[in-house]
Amino acid sequence: MTLIKSISGIRGTIGGACSQALTPVDIVKFTYAYCEKMKERGGSKRLGRKYKVVVGKDARLSGEMVENLVVGTLIACGVDVIKIGFASTPTTEMAVTGLGADGGIIITASHNPKQWNALKLLNEKGEFLNAEEGKAILDCAASEDFNFSQVDELGHVSEEDYVEKHIRKVLKLDLVDRKAIKKAKFKVVVDAVNSVGGIIMPALLKELGVKVIKLNCKPTGDFAHNPEPLPANLVELSETVVKKKADLGISVDPDVDRLALICEDGTPFGEEYTLVSVADYVLSELASKADSKRKTPNQLCAPLRFAASSNLSSSRALRDVAEKYGAKYEAAAVGEVNVVAKMKEIGAVIGGEGNGGVIYPELHYGRDAMVGVALFLSNMAHKKLSATALKATYPAYYIAKNKIQLSDSALIDRILKAMQEAFKDEDVNTIDGVKISFEKTRSWVHLRRSNTEPIIRIYAEAPTEQEAEALASRIITFADSIIAQ
């Protein structure tokens, strides 16, 4: 039994004792707290009409039970509910603004196994809450000082299907080249792990003129394999791509905000390189359009500048691609809400996370596998390259992922401080743990604390696997020496 309460929501296993798992009591308390804080943020703007919240869910087995509890609690709080049923996380995010709601709740445990579920919380912009807002909800839920609405003030429920609207908005994007994709006559295999991706992804691909072979696309919630879209979990997809002689394999997690791709030869494109490829396409197209606006090749004017962003633990390859087009690149702390904040700050036209999360502000500020696929296929179609050939055009890097298990969480700060001091002559970033960049070797290492247990996660990247593993070992040895003192 597990229950994890964090600023981004509440997540846990189904079944067990209150406060030790995701039970009906915990769901009600957390939903109530969300309502209270939503009303505080809105202030008097809703005088004369009720607040409105969108509720969407992935297809996991506990979804109906959790949805009934969430919707019932919202009604009891005097909030109107728009149920959009089976919907991806990005679909729900877009529905909040599209339907003029004051917030949204996504019932999904993302890539976690089927025994898990969670509530992801959105503000009126369809974006995740910030740390301060999330903490306020946690404090409110813990107080258990609840006061529900009177009978004449109860909320009401309506239903809306927003999947088709999401697809249409993707198709209308200027950089989604439907003609080029259709002309390329792509054949792809889609593995949606028997969740909502099996509904929305094939529908989008059909509209793009792509031949689709479905794999695990029935939204039963009975996951065919571990739902995290990592190479080890995508063996069936890889084999099917090769067997069917497909151009590409597409895998999404249960709530369709992460995108993993398989090349035509069955090898992984690499989750870090999903964003890199999409960014390459977006920046190249924008740079080309900017150049075409110049009256003469030598026209004197300030260059049009673009920007891109990803989190500190994402591949350096995005920075390399951005700089190739003269674009600015800045890293953010780990977490989608932090990346979105950084993107807004620097005016980034593309961004995301190295786990296959593509954020394209032209559509909305949220990781979205749907727009990721549409832009990736546009890139393949324009360059007329296979997936393996396209991957070969990008800078090659390898990330080694390790962790240090500690008996005392107090050691974390000591290790991070010592690391910062030991490498002070290098490029050190401390906005989220400690990241040290070694420019001469084009490598970096990032150490950050776990939010739930006494662990330091260590990500190291270098041009080769051997160099990355060696860098990680060097850092772990240094940390061990600090622990031994």
Side-chain angles (χ1 to χ4, degrees):
M1 297 184 294
T2 305
L3 182 66
I4 301 173
K5 301 175 183 178
S6 70
I7 58 173
S8 59
I10 186 170
R11 173 168 53 103
T13 53
I14 299 298
C18 294
S19 298
Q20 297 180 27
L22 189 62
T23 70
V25 174
D26 296 292
I27 293 167
V28 169
K29 289 196 297 185
F30 205 72
T31 303
Y32 175 90
Y34 170 75
C35 286
E36 286 298 294
K37 296 306 168 183
M38 175 185 67
K39 292 175 181 178
E40 287 183 13
R41 290 198 312 274
S44 61
K45 73 172 186 176
R46 286 299 181 194
L47 288 177
R49 63 189 181 97
K50 293 184 175 67
Y51 282 83
K52 184 163 56 177
V53 170
V54 173
V55 177
K57 62 181 179 182
D58 70 15
R60 64 186 59 232
L61 299 174
S62 59
E64 182 179 8
M65 180 271 287
V66 178
E67 179 188 52
N68 288 337
L69 289 164
V70 168
V71 171
T73 305
L74 291 170
I75 293 171
C77 291
V79 174
D80 286 341
V81 180
I82 306 175
K83 290 173 58 177
I84 61 173
F86 284 150
S88 69
T89 285
T91 302
T92 308
E93 291 170 344
M94 293 178 65
V96 171
T97 54
L99 298 174
D102 302 286
I105 297 179
I106 312 164
I107 301 168
T108 176
S110 191
H111 62 270
N112 290 110
K114 67 179 181 180
Q115 66 268 29
W116 289 76
N117 214 328
L119 306 185
K120 291 185 177 182
L121 310 176
L122 305 174
N123 62 19
E124 71 280 0
K125 298 178 181 178
E127 300 167 12
F128 291 114
L129 306 181
N130 61 35
E132 182 180 351
E133 292 166 337
K135 184 180 183 303
I137 290 173
L138 291 176
D139 292 343
C140 179
S143 73
E144 298 191 17
D145 183 18
F146 301 158
N147 184 15
F148 293 96
S149 298
Q150 301 297 316
V151 66
D152 291 331
E153 299 171 349
L154 297 177
H156 299 89
V157 179
S158 61
E159 296 185 3
E160 180 99 22
D161 184 352
Y162 211 80
V163 169
E164 182 64 24
K165 291 181 181 178
H166 184 178
I167 292 172
R168 291 296 155 199
K169 289 180 182 292
V170 171
L171 294 173
K172 288 180 180 179
L173 293 169
D174 288 341
L175 295 189
V176 173
D177 195 335
R178 298 175 66 180
K179 291 182 179 179
I181 294 173
K182 185 175 182 179
K183 184 178 179 181
K185 297 182 179 179
F186 291 125
K187 177 166 66 173
V188 306
V189 182
V190 175
D191 182 351
V193 74
N194 288 332
S195 191
V196 296
I199 299 172
I200 192 168
M201 188 62 76
L204 171 67
L205 292 169
K206 182 179 178 181
E207 291 288 342
L208 289 169
V210 175
K211 182 178 180 180
V212 180
I213 299 170
K214 297 180 183 180
L215 186 64
N216 305 318
C217 282
K218 296 180 180 179
T220 62
D222 188 12
F223 300 150
H225 54 76
N226 184 311
E228 187 166 13
L230 299 176
N233 303 325
L234 304 179
V235 175
E236 184 184 12
L237 176 59
S238 296
E239 292 175 345
T240 304
V241 167
V242 174
K243 181 180 179 180
K244 297 295 184 180
K245 296 181 179 179
D247 298 291
L248 190 69
I250 295 172
S251 176
V252 293
D253 59 343
D255 67 327
V256 204
D257 60 356
R258 288 174 59 180
L259 172 66
L261 304 168
I262 300 295
C263 298
E264 77 285 353
D265 62 355
T267 61
F269 191 81
E271 61 176 352
E272 290 286 338
Y273 284 85
T274 299
L275 174 59
V276 172
S277 177
V278 170
D280 172 47
Y281 172 68
V282 169
L283 292 170
S284 66
E285 288 295 303
L286 293 178
S288 177
K289 290 181 179 180
D291 287 342
S292 69
K293 292 179 180 179
R294 299 178 186 273
K295 295 179 181 179
T296 67
N298 298 317
Q299 181 182 17
L300 296 176
C301 63
L304 292 175
R305 300 285 291 179
F306 304 110
S309 180
S310 59
N311 68 41
L312 286 169
S313 287
S314 296
S315 176
R316 178 192 169 113
L318 178 61
R319 170 185 159 183
D320 290 353
V321 166
E323 291 177 349
K324 180 176 73 172
Y325 295 106
K328 178 182 180 181
Y329 170 82
E330 286 192 23
V334 173
E336 182 175 329
V337 65
N338 298 317
V339 175
V340 167
K342 177 60 70 174
M343 291 178 68
K344 290 181 177 180
E345 175 190 334
I346 66 175
V349 295
I350 188 67
E353 298 185 293
N355 59 8
V358 174
I359 301 174
Y360 186 49
E362 191 71 17
L363 182 65
H364 70 117
Y365 277 105
R367 294 182 302 174
D368 191 330
M370 302 292 287
V371 75
V373 162
L375 294 172
F376 183 88
L377 290 176
S378 296
N379 195 21
M380 282 185 67
H382 278 216
K383 290 187 170 65
K384 298 181 180 179
L385 294 174
S386 66
T388 54
L390 180 61
K391 171 70 178 296
T393 66
Y394 301 124
Y397 292 103
Y398 178 86
I399 294 182
K401 299 181 180 182
N402 296 272
K403 62 183 178 182
I404 301 175
Q405 182 80 46
L406 301 168
S407 58
D408 182 2
S409 59
L411 287 170
I412 296 177
D413 287 333
R414 189 197 305 175
I415 292 172
L416 295 180
K417 185 176 181 180
M419 201 71 62
Q420 182 180 351
E421 177 63 24
F423 293 95
K424 61 184 179 182
D425 292 333
E426 304 291 345
D427 181 7
V428 179
N429 187 314
T430 59
I431 64 172
D432 184 7
V434 175
K435 180 175 181 177
I436 307 155
S437 296
F438 305 91
E439 287 301 314
K440 290 183 180 179
T441 57
R442 301 177 66 81
S443 60
W444 56 261
V445 63
H446 185 203
L447 296 86
R448 60 187 301 270
R449 68 174 67 239
S450 166
N451 293 325
T452 58
E453 50 191 333
I455 283 176
I456 295 180
R457 303 191 186 281
I458 301 175
Y459 287 13
E461 183 181 64
T464 68
E465 180 177 356
Q466 292 76 15
E467 290 173 287
E469 295 290 358
L471 176 57
S473 295
R474 175 187 173 192
I475 296 301
I476 291 172
T477 299
F478 181 88
D480 288 341
S481 69
I482 300 300
I483 295 171
Q485 293 177 4

